[in-house]
Amino acid sequence: MRGFLTLSILATALVSTYVLTTWSFPQRTFGFQIDPLPALLIVVALRCPISTIGILSIFGSLTQSALSTSSIGTTILPLYTLGFIVHMNSQHIAFNNVGTRFILGASAGAFVSITSLCILLLSNQQPLFGWFSFWQWIATAGMSGLLALVFFPIVNWLNRSVEEQPLVAPYDTSTRIIRGPHIHG
Amino acid sequence: MTNRPYVITTSIVLLFAVICFSLSPTAAKRAKRLFSSLYTPLFKTQRIAQSTGEYLSNQTISREALLDENAELKRQNSILELKLEQTVPLSKENRNLREQLKMRPRPEWNPRLARIIGRDPSNWWRSILIDLGANDGVKIDMPVVAKTGLIGRVQEAYPNHSQIALLGDPDCRVSVTIEATKETGILKSTGETVYDPTLVKLTHLPGVTLARPGDKLYSSGLGEIFPRGIYVGKLLAIHSRPGSLTTTATVKLSTNTSQLHEVWVLMP
């Protein structure tokens, strides 16, 4: 049944990437684009096994670069590195706190953005950046933090909806059978 | 906790990353085309939703307003028809003279209206997505214009949508001519383009240039991607350095693409 959850997460990644690509308001008004993948990956890294993190990193990056000028798979390694680090430290993160969720999402947005830029520069591409990119970087990180707050309940809901939940026992589990000494005697 | 799933997943992810980096440009384009096909149902849904929305909003327009608009359009149409009539003999004369001089006839462009449906999901590029694709006859390198001037070229044509590299994108360099001086240069992106998408750099101008701020720029036709004579923008400032072989200038593009909703693809 884990497969259904993974599939629904991939569908969420595809739809959210599409929606934020076609929603031109942030670009027109504030001059930056919103990337939903870092925020989604943070939630997945805290809730799902490593295989789901790997699949989402590959699929999310490939589908996102299909809409972009960036070379294909540019964000695979940044996304997976981020997911791996968060997943390995998930025991130490109090992710039920709203503030923590926001900070995690914002850090993820900032990390993926900057590492993708480094990869583009190292692979001899000529991305467009200047002083205004600093504002874009901060704004993208902030929006990623807000998206993390949205994705946490969505992934929880998906988890409840598509995963098999343990059945509630139809009998009183507190009942115990006590064998008395007189039965066998 | 066993390490096996971690080792396997990490190896697979690394393998995919290496494959992606080592793909040839053709293979990378094919892969992009394959993954972009996943968006086809979403693009179709958006198209249906937009046309339904337009239909519904059209239903709410009053008959009087439609009649007024129709009358205004008819008036504009007759003026344009008159103007066109005046150019017919000129264009015939031009064609005859070209034939006599054995010059290649000028290509006639067939503009096709396209709707902007998205923008590059990353902040590092200046490209847009339009709702016309290879199925509609769009091909790579076709010029794209707006009412106010040139805006870019088709970078990639997918079956149902296309990606347009805008002026100011590192992947869209245009050779332009300054109308007043006939000097040519190349438009390139600059750090300022990130802040203001209408600001680009003009390079490769002669060391001693007669150009002045305010001079108009048109596509030069060199490079054979963009036809000659499409308005591009105005010179904003000239940065000449004494002793330098070339001059650079700042250009204000005619079209702010972040405010556009529709563009025209010039098809031959």
Side-chain angles (χ1 to χ4, degrees), chain B residues 46-206:
Chain B
Q46 191 189 5
R47 208 182 265 197
I48 292 167
Q50 271 179 343
S51 38
T52 313
E54 274 172 18
Y55 173 78
L56 289 174
S57 69
N58 287 346
Q59 297 302 307
T60 58
I61 300 173
S62 73
R63 189 181 149 77
E64 272 180 25
L66 283 174
L67 286 172
D68 286 349
E69 197 179 336
N70 193 22
E72 175 62 22
L73 287 172
K74 273 182 182 167
R75 195 184 63 81
Q76 280 182 11
N77 192 30
S78 37
I79 293 170
L80 289 172
E81 271 178 0
L82 271 174
K83 281 187 180 171
L84 193 67
E85 282 294 318
Q86 288 167 4
T87 60
V88 169
L90 289 174
S91 104
K92 268 187 190 168
E93 189 183 324
N94 183 282
R95 211 175 303 141
N96 286 339
L97 288 170
R98 278 182 167 265
E99 271 174 22
Q100 282 169 27
L101 291 169
K102 290 182 181 167
M103 284 172 78
R104 220 168 44 167
R106 273 192 167 196
E108 283 184 16
W109 297 95
N110 173 28
R112 182 114 191 244
L113 187 68
R115 198 176 280 163
I116 297 174
I117 51 170
R119 283 162 206 281
D120 198 301
S122 63
N123 287 315
W124 316 121
W125 314 101
R126 294 206 62 243
S127 68
I128 53 170
L129 301 168
I130 57 166
D131 66 348
L132 291 184
N135 291 345
D136 305 290
V138 177
K139 286 181 187 156
I140 293 175
D141 283 344
M142 279 182 173
V144 181
V145 297
K147 234 176 6 180
T148 42
L150 185 68
I151 64 158
R153 67 173 181 90
V154 177
Q155 192 175 31
E156 195 59 59
Y158 299 107
N160 295 305
H161 70 278
S162 305
Q163 190 161 19
I164 311 298
L166 300 172
L167 295 182
D169 186 89
D171 203 25
C172 183
R173 293 178 180 179
V174 187
S175 170
V176 292
T177 308
I178 301 170
E179 189 192 28
T181 62
K182 305 293 173 211
E183 292 162 345
T184 56
I186 297 169
L187 283 187
K188 283 181 180 176
S189 59
T190 158
E192 285 172 280
T193 314
V194 189
Y195 170 66
D196 183 350
T198 59
L199 291 181
V200 290
K201 191 167 67 174
L202 180 62
T203 61
H204 295 85
L205 282 175

Side-chain angles (χ1 to χ4, degrees), chain A residues 145-157:
Chain A
L146 291 176
L147 278 178
L149 301 182
V150 177
F151 281 131
F152 263 99
I154 290 177
V155 172
N156 280 345
W157 176 76

Side-chain angles (χ1 to χ4, degrees), chain A residues 106-181:
Chain A
S107 318
F111 174 80
V112 171
S113 197
I114 204 83
T115 42
S116 312
L117 177 65
C118 293
I119 288 174
L120 286 172
L121 290 170
L122 288 171
S123 56
N124 278 333
Q125 293 188 60
Q126 295 173 312
L128 193 61
F129 67 98
W131 284 109
F132 191 68
S133 303
F134 189 65
W135 152 250
Q136 288 179 326
W137 183 57
I138 291 170
T140 307
M143 285 310 292
S144 199
L146 291 176
L147 278 178
L149 301 182
V150 177
F151 281 131
F152 263 99
I154 290 177
V155 172
N156 280 345
W157 176 76
L158 286 174
N159 198 11
R160 277 198 309 273
S161 307
V162 299
E163 288 297 300
E164 209 171 355
Q165 301 296 321
L167 286 171
V168 179
Y171 47 83
D172 183 6
T173 50
S174 61
T175 310
R176 288 194 300 158
I177 298 167
I178 301 166
R179 295 184 190 279

Side-chain angles (χ1 to χ4, degrees), chain A residues 48-109:
Chain A
C48 301
I50 191 75
S51 55
T52 310
I53 300 167
I55 292 168
L56 177 63
S57 307
I58 295 169
F59 178 83
S61 175
L62 294 179
T63 49
Q64 193 182 46
S65 43
L67 295 176
S68 171
T69 307
S70 301
S71 55
I72 193 152
T74 306
T75 51
I76 290 180
L77 286 179
L79 284 172
Y80 183 71
T81 311
L82 174 79
F84 187 84
I85 293 168
V86 172
H87 184 75
M88 294 307 276
N89 295 293
S90 57
Q91 307 286 331
H92 313 292
I93 300 170
F95 56 84
N96 287 326
N97 188 321
V98 173
T100 315
R101 288 179 178 184
F102 177 81
I103 289 168
L104 276 173
S107 318

